[in-house]
Amino acid sequence: MAAEQQRGIRVTQAELLCKDACGYYGNPAWQGFCSKCWRERTRKAEADRQETGPHNDAGSPLTFSKFEEKKNMEKGRKVNTMRRLFWGGPSPPKRPESSEGQVATLKAYQSIEPGDFTSFLKLLRNPSSQRLQSRCTAFLNTMEAYHGLPVQKQSDLVQDFYQNIAVHFSSLSEVQVSQMMEHMEKLIMTRLHKWVFCHDSCDDEVKDLALQRRIRSLNWVTPHMLRVPFPDERAEVVSDPFLPAITAIIEMDAKRAPQDKLTCVCKCSQNVFQALSSSNSEPANADDYLSGLIYVVLKANPPRLHSNMQYVIRFGLPHSLMAGESGYYFTNLCCAVAFIEKLDGPALNLSPEEFEGYMQGRRAPSKRGSERQKMARETQDQLEDLKGRQEKVDQGINALKEQLQHWVQSVKAQIDEVTSQSALAQEEIKAQSEFLQSHSVSTITQADVKDQSVLLLDGQESNNNTCLTEAE
């Protein structure tokens, strides 16, 4: 019962570390060892094989064994030739460079900001960096000339180059050396990507197709089967919360430098943690992260996933894979791919019959949870749509209110203007009427005086006439 309620795919921290207990992260591609321990064991096994090979073949036919021995000697001769062409001798020079120009150049390298690859390239073109630039150019030209070597030999040469070129920055701090080596890795591997990625000497392309078919056959696996904590029913879900992580892991194939591919893995993992935190009220743990990462890989089915992982393993900087955040995330990605390749019924709490039925398409997982999530998403989309429409209506209403207020204010202003003009007109009319009335009264008075004077004159004249008549 407890196993059924367990969250995520449980992997302990000890299972992620190297089998030699060196403290670094191991990897399924190296059979649980870290890159350093794995290379040491591989080289030791090759040396033992070369020492014991001729004695073991003494009593057997020598035709094929001699052919293989001759072939290996030719490969070794090519590798030694490459090293001589690059270093100018059987071993890399280790003379300390203490000139003033070299010290000034190292100080300039020390001032480069993390991730500022452009400034690194500009500084590499300076005359004071001519020896470092010559080493890089010679190594690139030699690697391109011998691109037909087996990919493992090419990996060894690149790793040897990292170790020898790091001596050039030995006076810097450990953090600054790591930053400079990341720039060097990007410079070298951007040029060598087309020669060493998915090389003809390995079966990466075949394994890519097999892994893609495997992931495609597991498209029926649900988050509930992987015990991935998905959003609750009451949570607001607009889209798949793992979509940014899916996009990041798909982008890994477009990058050419191993460090850039690791950056995509880190971005994917960080988005997985963010999705888990937003999907569940409880904080996400390592088990939740691994199950979420498995779900992301199944949903994304990244192109050439195996080749990209092998490319990072073979040509990436050791410190990026053995420790730190990038090492932890990449180790979990390798565990997720190994889990997918070996996925069976018990891992999903299914019986072998049920698992086989799902694989052959005779059964389909219960869609009640997915349908509920789909309905929740559709409802949320509708609510968001209605909310957007309501906001538009509110904006229209507010705009209409503003227009109505402006119209009312303009009408009121016009009314006030007409009223004031009407009052002025009435005052003017009143003044004119008063003026006219006063003017008409004065006119009438003058006419009456004139008439009275005329009458008086007429009366005086008549009296005078009368007096004259009497006098006569």
Side-chain angles (χ1 to χ4, degrees):
M1 187 65 181
E4 296 179 357
Q5 296 178 354
Q6 175 185 318
R7 289 171 53 185
I9 307 299
R10 184 168 297 278
V11 175
T12 62
Q13 184 72 12
E15 295 175 340
L16 299 178
L17 297 177
C18 177
K19 288 183 179 180
D20 279 351
C22 61
Y24 295 113
Y25 289 115
N27 197 292
W30 300 315
Q31 298 180 7
F33 296 97
C34 68
S35 62
K36 182 179 179 181
C37 297
W38 174 252
R39 292 183 189 281
E40 291 178 355
R41 296 172 71 91
T42 303
R43 290 178 178 178
K44 184 178 179 181
E46 289 181 356
D48 294 341
R49 192 183 307 113
Q50 291 178 358
E51 291 178 359
T52 59
H55 301 287
N56 294 336
D57 294 337
S60 59
L62 302 179
T63 54
F64 184 75
S65 61
K66 286 184 177 181
F67 173 77
E68 287 294 325
E69 183 180 354
K70 183 179 179 181
K71 186 176 179 182
N72 292 331
M73 290 177 62
E74 290 178 355
K75 291 179 180 179
R77 192 180 300 110
K78 287 183 178 180
V79 173
N80 293 330
T81 303
M82 291 180 64
R83 288 172 177 165
R84 285 195 300 271
L85 288 173
F86 177 64
W87 297 110
S91 61
K94 297 183 179 180
R95 296 190 304 271
E97 302 173 3
S98 58
S99 62
E100 295 181 358
Q102 187 68 22
V103 173
T105 304
L106 289 177
K107 289 183 178 180
Y109 282 119
Q110 189 175 0
S111 64
I112 297 177
E113 295 293 332
D116 192 359
F117 185 64
T118 304
S119 298
F120 175 79
L121 292 179
K122 291 180 180 178
L123 190 58
L124 190 64
R125 297 189 185 100
N126 288 344
S128 57
S129 302
Q130 183 177 3
R131 189 163 187 267
L132 179 61
Q133 184 181 8
S134 300
R135 286 185 176 184
C136 296
T137 303
F139 179 75
L140 289 172
N141 293 335
T142 308
M143 287 290 293
E144 291 180 4
Y146 290 89
H147 64 271
L149 285 175
V151 67
Q152 190 57 47
K153 293 292 184 182
Q154 293 178 335
S155 173
D156 293 339
L157 290 171
V158 171
Q159 295 298 329
D160 290 341
F161 172 79
Y162 291 155
Q163 292 179 5
N164 290 296
I165 210 69
V167 179
H168 186 83
F169 306 102
S170 59
S171 61
L172 302 179
S173 64
E174 185 177 353
V175 176
Q176 292 169 346
V177 171
S178 299
Q179 294 175 1
M180 292 301 103
M181 290 308 300
E182 288 176 1
H183 292 316
M184 291 299 301
E185 179 210 76
K186 190 170 185 177
L187 172 67
I188 296 299
M189 297 314 303
T190 301
R191 285 274 304 272
L192 297 181
H193 178 270
K194 62 181 180 179
W195 301 112
V196 300
F197 183 81
C198 200
H199 198 265
D200 294 337
S201 62
C202 58
D203 56 350
D204 288 346
E205 186 175 357
V206 176
K207 292 183 177 179
D208 282 332
L209 296 175
L211 182 58
Q212 282 191 343
R213 287 194 296 266
R214 174 66 174 175
I215 294 176
R216 197 178 299 117
S217 66
L218 296 171
N219 59 357
W220 49 268
V221 177
T222 63
H224 177 71
M225 294 179 179
L226 295 171
R227 297 181 289 278
V228 179
F230 239 69
D232 300 331
E233 297 180 9
R234 293 173 293 180
E236 295 183 358
V237 180
V238 178
S239 61
D240 191 345
F242 292 93
L243 184 58
I246 294 173
T247 304
I249 197 66
I250 291 176
E251 290 177 352
M252 181 174 63
D253 186 59
K255 307 298 181 180
R256 291 193 290 178
Q259 200 63 228
D260 294 338
K261 293 182 183 294
L262 276 178
T263 301
C264 292
V265 176
C266 294
K267 183 179 178 181
C268 170
S269 300
Q270 292 168 358
N271 288 326
V272 169
F273 273 111
Q274 185 176 358
L276 292 172
S277 300
S278 62
S279 301
N280 201 345
S281 57
E282 300 180 8
N285 53 34
D287 299 332
D288 294 338
Y289 161 65
L290 184 56
S291 62
L293 186 60
I294 293 171
Y295 170 76
V296 167
V297 173
L298 289 176
K299 285 297 180 182
N301 198 0
R304 301 190 294 185
L305 179 58
H306 176 81
S307 294
N308 281 291
M309 292 169 56
Q310 291 298 317
Y311 178 73
V312 173
I313 289 171
R314 291 165 182 157
F315 302 101
L317 291 170
H319 74 267
S320 299
L321 301 178
M322 295 165 58
E325 187 181 57
S326 59
Y328 174 76
Y329 289 149
F330 187 77
T331 302
N332 277 273
L333 177 62
C334 295
C335 292
V337 173
F339 178 86
I340 291 173
E341 291 175 341
K342 299 178 181 179
L343 185 61
D344 54 6
L348 301 175
N349 291 329
L350 299 175
S351 64
E353 292 77 12
E354 290 176 336
F355 182 81
E356 191 65 24
Y358 285 128
M359 292 295 292
Q360 296 182 1
R362 297 194 305 266
R363 296 174 60 93
S366 176
K367 297 182 179 181
R368 182 170 56 186
S370 60
E371 288 178 356
R372 182 171 62 248
Q373 294 170 4
K374 182 178 180 181
M375 291 176 62
R377 288 194 295 268
E378 292 178 353
T379 304
Q380 184 64 28
D381 293 341
Q382 293 176 0
L383 290 175
E384 292 293 333
D385 188 21
L386 291 175
K387 184 178 179 180
R389 293 183 181 181
Q390 184 65 33
E391 290 178 354
K392 291 182 180 179
V393 171
D394 293 339
Q395 292 175 359
I397 292 174
N398 294 331
L400 184 60
K401 286 182 179 179
E402 292 179 358
Q403 293 177 2
L404 183 59
Q405 289 177 357
H406 289 312
W407 180 77
V408 170
Q409 291 176 358
S410 63
V411 171
K412 185 178 179 181
Q414 292 177 2
I415 292 175
D416 293 340
E417 184 179 0
V418 170
T419 302
S420 61
Q421 291 178 358
S422 177
L424 292 174
Q426 289 179 358
E427 291 178 358
E428 186 178 357
I429 292 172
K430 184 178 180 180
Q432 290 179 359
S433 63
E434 291 176 355
F435 175 77
L436 290 175
Q437 288 178 0
S438 62
H439 182 70
S440 61
V441 170
S442 62
T443 304
I444 292 171
T445 304
Q446 292 176 2
D448 292 341
V449 171
K450 185 177 181 182
D451 292 340
Q452 289 179 2
S453 63
V454 172
L455 290 175
L456 290 173
L457 290 174
D458 291 341
Q460 289 178 0
E461 185 178 358
S462 62
N463 290 333
N464 292 332
N465 293 331
T466 302
C467 290
L468 290 174
T469 303
E470 291 178 357
E472 291 177 358

